[in-house]
């Protein structure tokens, strides 16, 4: 943000350079120093500045050695930057030389980790002249630090809750196959006695008798691709008819005559043929598959495949017999416990619930304390599962107990390296300023939805605001709005804040900064008023905040602060 502090930069501060060759004292003026940015601002948790110094012509004594040190002073402390030493033309040394006749330009770099007290601070240049014990006055070059970046915090980021896999309606499908001899449709007794067919019939009967299950049956009959289209169509139809008749007879014996059978047939099972070839170790497998892809006409396909004599012999022995079949399909639907039933079991007999039902039950209870109690119970009954430990950590995180939350996230990760706990530990690392560790952990949790906003916050804290905005995408949060604000996407930041379902005091403070940066005094002051009414501590953040420097001398701003101070 480019603003001019004319009163600051035009102020004359006198620096007495007392070199042995000086015949008179000469001041170094404030307009000989330019600070970039003119208003210091937190970027990636640091307060950086480039300080451009112009040494005027005939100012720097030829035998002088001058050291300049940037210092940021604030209530209770100071941060001292790197010192820069310059020498006159007649000094023997290795420091940059300043010409007496022409002067020189120099750039000093300064950076310090931000602390909240720096919001009200002064950036000074301090001077030391070699060989002189006489103090030289400091030169004030900037006031205050804009700390808007710090409004985005890991503490309000969305943590990742490990989900349950509870399904009230579970759909399962079971298959068995009855095989036929070549060009035959009769069902052999040996096929009915096969284990897979007997097991299939048992599953159907069990589902039919269960109170919480329903079952439906399909028959799909096929013929292998060898043989003519008409022959195969007639053959597959007969197989379907015989299979359906057999099933109805079996169901009648088991008193399941009301089970409907949905029957179909396919004349030439080319799809099944392709699947079996792909799964085989057929010598000319790729050649056969190429024929299938090149020709769509069934008769031409058959001719071309038969021409591959060695392959066709193997096909006839290993592949085609598996395609002469009727496929039996049992579609079973299992209905689980209702929400009310789960609640009742949770109160009276929690051990009767499955792990997934218990995890789901935690989402049904009212209040965070009760929810934590359920997760604590799960952690004891199912101590090897990571999810309850992770989810206890999320509840602790949300109430600000980050150290305790970290213990549970690590306990979850020790049980199973999972993306949810990685994301949450990444947020913990962000809250501690460990950006490298945060990047590793967030990367390891990239598969979960919460990864995007966590990555957005990481980029924001790295000072990469455009990347942060891209990572946040359509996320609606204060942190996302801060990223957009710092990226100068003011309209988008305002839209994000307006879309928040429950805006808080920080939301309105962000909105006020948007107003200030876009010269909308009505938006800025009304939003500030709302922010302070929601949290009186905001008034302290606003007083002296350079984001609102243009309003500092106005009666409206003064009235706003004075009226809130009486609450």
């Amino acid at each position: 943000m480019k603003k001019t502090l004319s009163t600051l930069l035009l102020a004359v501060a006198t620096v007495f350079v007392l070199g042995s060759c000086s015949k008179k004292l000469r001041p170094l003026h404030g307009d000989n120093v330019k600070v970039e940015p003119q208003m210091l601002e937190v970027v990636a948790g640091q307060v950086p500045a480039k300080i451009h110094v112009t040494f005027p012509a005939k100012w720097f004594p030829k035998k002088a050695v001058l050291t300049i040190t940037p210092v940021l002073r604030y209530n209770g402390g100071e941060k001292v930057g790197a010192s820069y030493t310059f020498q006159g033309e007649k000094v023997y040394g290795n420091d940059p030389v300043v010409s007496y006749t022409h002067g020189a330009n120099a750039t000093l770099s300064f950076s310090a980790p931000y602390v909240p007290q720096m919001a009200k601070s002064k950036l000074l240049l301090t001077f030391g002249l070699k060989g002189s014990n006489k103090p030289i006055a400091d030169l004030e070059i900037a006031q205050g630090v804009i700390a808007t970046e710090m409004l985005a915090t890991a503490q309000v980021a969305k943590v990742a809750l490990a989900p349950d896999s509870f399904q009230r309606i579970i759909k399962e499908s079971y298959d068995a196959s009855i095989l036929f001899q070549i060009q035959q449709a009769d069902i052999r007794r040996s096929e009915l006695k096969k284990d897979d067919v007997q097991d299939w019939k048992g599953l159907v009967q069990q589902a039919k008798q269960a109170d919480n299950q329903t079952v439906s049956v399909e028959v799909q009959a096929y013929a292998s691709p060898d043989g003519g289209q008409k022959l195969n169509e007639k053959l597959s139809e007969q197989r379907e008819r015989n299979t359906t008749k057999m099933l109805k007879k079996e169901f009648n014996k088991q008193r399941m005559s009301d089970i409907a059978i949905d029957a179909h047939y396919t004349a030439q099972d080319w799809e099944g043929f392709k699947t079996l070839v792909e799964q085989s170790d057929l010598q000319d497998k790729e050649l056969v598959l190429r024929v299938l892809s090149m020709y769509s006409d069934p008769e031409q396909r058959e001719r071309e495949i038969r021409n591959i004599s060695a392959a066709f012999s193997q096909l006839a022995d290993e592949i085609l017999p598996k395609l002469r079949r009727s496929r039996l399909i049992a579609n079973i639907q299992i209905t689980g416990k209702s929400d009310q039933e789960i609640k009742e079991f949770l109160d009276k007999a929690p051990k009767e619930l499955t792990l997934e039902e218990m995890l789901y039950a935690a989402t049904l209870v009212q209040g965070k304390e009760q929810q934590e109690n359920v997760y604590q119970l799960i952690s004891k009954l199912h101590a090897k599962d990571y999810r309850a430990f992770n989810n206890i950590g999320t509840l602790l995180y949300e109430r600000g107990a980050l150290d305790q939350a970290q213990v549970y996230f690590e306990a979850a990760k020790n049980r199973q390296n999972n993306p949810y706990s990685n994301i949450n530990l990444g947020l913990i690392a962000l809250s501690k300023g460990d950006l490298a560790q945060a990047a590793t952990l967030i990367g390891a949790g990239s598969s979960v939805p919460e990864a995007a906003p966590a990555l957005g916050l990481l980029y924001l804290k790295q000072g990469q605001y455009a990347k942060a905005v891209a990572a946040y995408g359509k996320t609606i949060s204060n942190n996302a709005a801060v990223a957009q604000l710092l990226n100068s996407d003011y309209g988008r930041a305002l839209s994000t804040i307006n879309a928040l379902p429950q805006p808080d005091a920080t939301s309105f403070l962000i909105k006020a900064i948007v107003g200030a940066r876009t010269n909308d005094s009505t938006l800025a002051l009304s939003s500030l008023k709302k922010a302070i009414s929601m949290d009186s501590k905001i008034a302290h953040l606003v007083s002296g905040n350079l984001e609102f420097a243009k309003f500092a001398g106005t009666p409206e701003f003064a009235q706003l602060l004075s009226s809130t101070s009486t609450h």
Side-chain angles (χ1 to χ4, degrees):
M1 182 170 60
K2 300 293 184 182
K3 295 183 180 178
T4 303
L5 297 178
S6 57
T7 57
L8 174 64
L9 295 181
L10 293 178
V12 177
T14 303
V15 178
F16 297 110
V17 181
L18 303 175
S20 60
C21 63
S22 299
K23 295 183 179 180
K24 61 179 179 178
L25 306 177
R26 297 204 44 205
L28 182 65
H29 294 281
D31 55 6
N32 294 123
V33 180
K34 304 295 181 185
V35 183
E36 183 185 350
Q38 291 181 354
M39 289 188 177
L40 301 182
E41 187 168 3
V42 179
V43 178
Q46 299 283 318
V47 181
K50 293 289 186 183
I51 304 162
H52 304 286
V53 179
T54 299
F55 297 111
K58 298 182 180 181
W59 181 87
F60 203 101
K62 295 181 180 181
K63 295 183 178 181
V65 177
L66 180 68
T67 298
I68 305 176
T69 305
V71 179
L72 186 64
R73 289 181 183 155
Y74 51 91
N75 185 23
E78 67 177 19
K79 294 294 181 183
V80 180
S83 296
Y84 294 79
T85 300
F86 304 90
Q87 63 187 44
E89 297 173 81
K90 294 187 177 181
V91 175
Y92 292 99
N94 296 318
D95 297 310
V97 176
V98 179
S99 167
Y100 174 76
T101 303
H102 302 291
N105 295 317
T107 298
L108 288 58
S109 293
F110 173 83
S111 184
Y114 177 76
V115 295
Q117 295 89 334
M118 290 179 182
K120 297 180 180 179
S121 59
K122 294 180 180 180
L123 181 62
L124 309 167
L125 293 183
T126 64
F127 302 87
L129 186 64
K130 186 176 181 180
S132 173
N133 294 324
K134 197 168 184 179
I136 301 175
D138 298 336
L139 178 62
E140 182 179 319
I141 57 176
Q143 290 184 347
V145 174
I146 295 174
T148 300
E149 182 185 278
M150 307 307 290
L151 293 177
T153 68
Q155 285 85 343
V156 299
K158 186 178 180 182
V159 282
L161 191 75
D164 61 82
S165 299
F166 173 74
Q167 291 180 277
R168 178 158 289 112
I169 304 297
I170 300 173
K171 295 181 178 180
E172 299 176 342
S173 181
Y174 299 93
D175 279 26
S177 290
I178 293 176
L179 300 181
F180 296 89
Q181 291 182 322
I182 187 170
Q183 297 186 6
Q184 297 294 316
D186 295 334
I187 298 176
R188 291 169 290 169
R189 185 175 296 274
S190 59
E191 288 297 306
L192 297 180
K193 291 182 178 181
K194 290 192 309 185
D195 288 343
D196 66 325
V197 175
Q198 291 296 318
D199 291 343
W200 183 88
K201 287 163 60 180
L203 286 170
V204 172
Q205 185 175 22
Q206 180 181 331
K208 178 63 178 175
Q209 294 172 349
D211 293 335
N212 66 334
Q213 297 183 32
T214 59
V215 60
S216 62
V217 170
E218 295 178 53
V219 170
Q220 180 69 59
Y222 302 89
S224 59
D226 57 321
Q229 175 74 19
K230 290 183 179 180
L231 173 63
N232 284 336
E233 187 162 354
K234 181 179 179 181
L235 191 58
S236 59
E237 182 182 9
Q238 289 175 337
R239 289 171 177 171
E240 176 266 303
R241 189 184 307 117
N242 291 345
T243 305
T244 302
K245 183 178 178 181
M246 178 274 297
L247 279 183
K248 287 182 178 180
K249 184 177 179 180
E250 291 294 320
F251 289 166
N252 283 334
K253 289 180 183 179
Q254 297 171 334
R255 298 182 180 179
M256 299 189 301
S257 57
D258 57 337
I259 294 181
I261 300 174
D262 186 14
H264 311 274
Y265 62 89
T266 299
Q268 293 181 311
D269 188 11
W270 285 108
E271 287 300 316
F273 177 80
K274 180 182 177 183
T275 300
L276 290 176
V277 169
E278 289 172 338
Q279 296 172 351
S280 73
D281 57 357
L282 190 67
Q283 183 177 353
D284 294 311
K285 176 165 67 174
E286 297 304 322
L287 182 57
V288 173
L289 292 174
R290 194 176 305 122
V291 168
L292 294 179
S293 65
M294 291 175 61
Y295 304 103
S296 58
D297 180 70
E299 293 184 4
Q300 190 172 7
R301 277 181 171 180
E302 185 179 349
R303 284 196 304 271
E304 295 294 334
I305 290 172
R306 283 182 181 275
N307 289 336
I308 311 172
S309 57
F312 189 79
S313 176
Q314 192 176 355
L315 287 170
D317 292 338
E318 300 177 13
I319 303 295
L320 297 179
K322 298 177 183 178
L323 300 174
R324 302 167 188 136
R325 74 198 193 283
S326 282
R327 183 181 170 207
L328 310 180
I329 306 168
N331 297 310
I332 298 175
Q333 180 172 294
I334 305 170
T335 303
K337 297 180 183 71
S338 67
D339 287 359
Q340 186 59 37
E341 288 173 329
I342 289 175
K343 288 181 181 179
E344 290 174 357
F345 273 100
L346 184 64
D347 290 337
K348 299 175 183 178
K351 292 183 180 180
E352 298 298 318
L353 294 172
T354 66
L355 170 59
E356 302 306 328
E357 288 171 337
M358 289 196 75
L359 287 166
Y360 176 67
T363 69
L364 301 177
V365 299
Q366 297 296 318
K368 299 294 185 180
E369 185 176 351
Q370 284 183 287
Q371 197 172 38
E372 184 175 341
N373 290 338
V374 176
Y375 286 131
Q376 290 286 5
L377 179 60
I378 298 170
S379 71
K380 293 178 175 61
L381 295 178
H382 303 277
K384 293 183 179 180
D385 192 87
Y386 75 90
R387 288 172 292 179
F389 292 90
N390 178 82
N391 294 353
I392 293 169
T394 65
L395 296 172
L396 292 167
Y397 189 103
E398 288 171 354
R399 63 174 183 251
L402 301 193
D403 290 339
Q404 291 176 272
Q406 182 175 356
V407 171
Y408 277 94
F409 293 146
E410 288 174 346
K413 187 174 179 179
N414 287 338
R415 281 159 174 79
Q416 181 178 328
N417 189 8
N418 67 91
Y420 308 98
S421 300
N422 279 319
I423 285 293
N424 297 334
L425 287 168
L427 293 175
I428 294 284
L430 277 177
S431 73
K432 296 180 177 180
D434 190 344
L435 302 189
Q437 179 70 356
T440 299
L441 289 163
I442 291 170
S446 60
S447 62
V448 303
E450 292 82 3
L455 184 61
L457 183 59
L458 173 63
Y459 283 138
L460 192 157
K461 292 303 181 182
Q462 291 173 335
Q464 301 185 73
Y465 303 139
K467 285 187 175 181
V469 170
Y472 275 117
K474 296 182 179 180
T475 299
I476 303 298
S477 70
N478 284 344
N479 287 353
V482 172
Q484 294 154 1
L485 170 63
L486 295 174
N487 198 47
S488 301
D489 296 343
Y490 301 128
R492 190 171 176 185
L494 189 59
S495 296
T496 296
I497 293 298
N498 289 338
L500 286 169
Q502 293 181 312
D504 58 15
T506 301
S507 309
F508 285 100
L509 177 57
I510 296 167
K511 196 171 183 178
I513 295 172
V514 171
R517 291 197 179 191
T518 57
N519 296 313
D520 188 337
S521 59
T522 301
L523 177 64
L525 295 175
S526 63
S527 299
L528 275 179
K529 184 176 181 180
K530 181 67 175 177
I532 295 171
S533 69
M534 296 177 75
D535 183 356
S536 60
K537 295 177 183 177
I538 295 291
H540 176 71
L541 296 177
V542 169
S543 178
N545 190 324
L546 294 179
E547 290 281 14
F548 305 105
K550 66 177 66 176
F551 304 119
T554 65
E556 295 86 355
F557 190 76
Q559 183 180 5
L560 178 65
L561 295 183
S562 63
S563 63
T564 55
S565 64
T566 61
H567 290 314

